[in-house]
Amino acid sequence: DNNIEFISSYHQIEGLREVDIYIPKYNIAIEFNGNYWHSETKGKDKFYHINKTLKCLQQDINLVHIFEDEWLNQQDIIQSMLLNRVYKQLNKIGARKLRIIKMENNVAKPFYNNNHLQGYINGTHYALVDDDYIYAAATVGKPRFNNNYDLELYRFCTAKYWSVMGGLSKLIKHILSIHKSKSIITYADLRFGIGKGYNSIGFSFIGCTNPGYYYLKNYIQRFNRVQFQKHKLSSKLKFFDAQLTEWENMQLNGYNRIWDCGNAIYTLENII
């Protein structure tokens, strides 16, 4: 798009030294976060990334954070996401043209691994399809963090380089009907946006989680912190001291950590 102006190392966002890329036409900024330079031992603490996001939001700028390993290993998914943010997806289709199917695990796994940054998750899977092509999918299950709701939406994504107009709404309505559920909760990763799409289909924003972290080894790969809860460490680490904290034990074994931005929490309740 020759009408999009890109500004690198943009220094005029109030309260920030810079962001890597700023696109004024769409009020979007992009940060490419090198795992080494954005790790905790290099001074990027729990609130560094979320504070940068909030400072941008105060000026109506949506900041997208991309970790180094995501760009190296999942660049096609990142590119599709960014194209969607500037409304430049290569292909568009209306959900009304598609039918809903229940998707088996052996079909859901490759779809999510190829199209969602977090990959596959166990749950009950539904897809919007035309013939044998999957355009979008959603996965639900029992709430993992808040039992006040009937269901949790674990995943939603479209096939790369596709925009499915009305896709999320159609899938949610079907899921709630099939499961006879009166409430659903979901979480939007604040590294990629505040989840405005949920508001547009009737969800309510109820708050944010605290930032979470990933562990790093050799700065190439991030590991989910759940793998390294303290009660698991004695069998995972070469050196383990029960008197030390989880983080101290991880540092003792050469690990660093990197913080995310937390999640926005959305719910849909009192469904008739």
Side-chain angles (χ1 to χ4, degrees):
D1 184 349
N2 295 327
N3 296 317
I4 298 179
E5 178 186 10
F6 292 87
I7 301 176
S8 297
S9 298
Y10 184 71
H11 292 269
Q12 298 180 28
I13 295 177
E14 184 179 349
L16 296 178
R17 186 169 66 87
E18 66 174 34
V19 294
D20 293 327
I21 296 173
Y22 177 49
I23 311 173
K25 181 176 180 179
Y26 297 105
N27 289 333
I28 291 173
I30 303 168
E31 280 279 271
F32 291 94
N33 295 335
N35 289 346
Y36 174 76
W37 294 108
H38 283 257
S39 65
E40 183 159 348
T41 58
K42 295 305 293 184
K44 304 302 189 289
D45 65 13
K46 178 176 182 177
F47 298 105
Y48 176 82
H49 296 113
I50 186 58
N51 282 344
K52 203 163 191 176
T53 291
L54 293 174
K55 287 176 182 176
C56 284
L57 283 173
Q58 289 169 1
Q59 297 164 74
D60 294 323
I61 299 169
N62 294 301
L63 178 60
V64 176
H65 293 268
I66 300 167
F67 287 136
E68 179 181 359
D69 56 290
E70 291 172 328
W71 185 248
L72 291 174
N73 301 321
Q74 299 170 290
Q75 192 172 134
D76 53 346
I77 299 177
I78 293 291
Q79 288 176 341
S80 177
M81 290 174 60
L82 294 178
L83 284 170
N84 192 47
R85 296 304 171 87
V86 297
Y87 313 107
K88 294 295 176 183
Q89 283 284 12
L90 299 181
N91 306 289
K92 295 181 181 180
I93 190 169
R96 67 185 182 278
K97 296 181 178 180
L98 305 174
R99 59 190 176 89
I100 298 175
I101 64 166
K102 188 174 181 181
M103 193 164 47
E104 298 301 324
N105 291 340
N106 64 335
V107 178
K109 185 170 289 188
F111 179 81
Y112 281 120
N113 288 341
N114 289 327
N115 295 287
H116 196 290
L117 281 177
Q118 293 178 289
Y120 173 78
I121 189 172
N122 287 324
T124 304
H125 316 288
Y126 299 91
L128 286 169
V129 302
D130 181 11
D131 295 326
D132 293 327
Y133 190 80
I134 301 170
Y135 288 90
T139 295
V140 296
K142 292 182 179 180
R144 296 168 293 176
F145 315 110
N146 190 330
N147 292 325
N148 293 322
Y149 299 88
D150 295 336
L151 283 176
E152 180 182 335
L153 175 64
Y154 297 156
R155 293 280 190 276
F156 170 75
C157 74
T158 63
K160 291 190 298 282
Y161 306 112
W162 276 95
S163 177
V164 182
M165 296 170 288
L168 178 58
S169 177
K170 183 170 181 174
L171 282 166
I172 290 294
K173 288 177 182 177
H174 177 81
I175 288 166
L176 292 172
S177 174
I178 290 293
H179 289 260
K180 296 180 171 55
S181 301
K182 294 186 177 181
S183 62
I184 188 168
I185 187 169
T186 195
Y187 301 84
D189 191 335
L190 288 168
R191 284 200 298 122
F192 303 110
I194 58 175
K196 287 182 178 179
Y198 292 114
N199 280 133
S200 68
I201 62 169
F203 279 74
S204 298
F205 169 77
I206 64 168
C208 294
T209 68
N210 287 322
Y213 56 87
Y214 299 86
Y215 280 113
L216 299 165
K217 190 67 179 277
N218 300 323
Y219 302 99
I220 301 301
Q221 183 179 1
R222 286 174 298 124
F223 296 94
N224 192 304
R225 60 182 176 140
V226 174
Q227 301 177 51
F228 296 100
Q229 292 169 321
K230 186 175 179 181
H231 67 276
K232 302 176 182 178
L233 295 184
S234 61
S235 63
K236 285 182 172 286
L237 302 180
K238 183 177 181 180
F239 306 106
F240 176 74
D241 185 340
Q243 301 303 311
L244 300 178
T245 65
E246 172 196 298
W247 172 222
E248 289 168 338
N249 272 292
M250 294 299 287
Q251 288 179 288
L252 183 66
N253 287 269
Y255 286 84
N256 200 342
R257 63 182 176 182
I258 189 168
W259 291 88
D260 63 20
C261 295
N263 296 280
I265 308 169
Y266 286 90
T267 62
L268 189 61
E269 300 181 69
N270 300 320
I271 301 160
I272 300 175

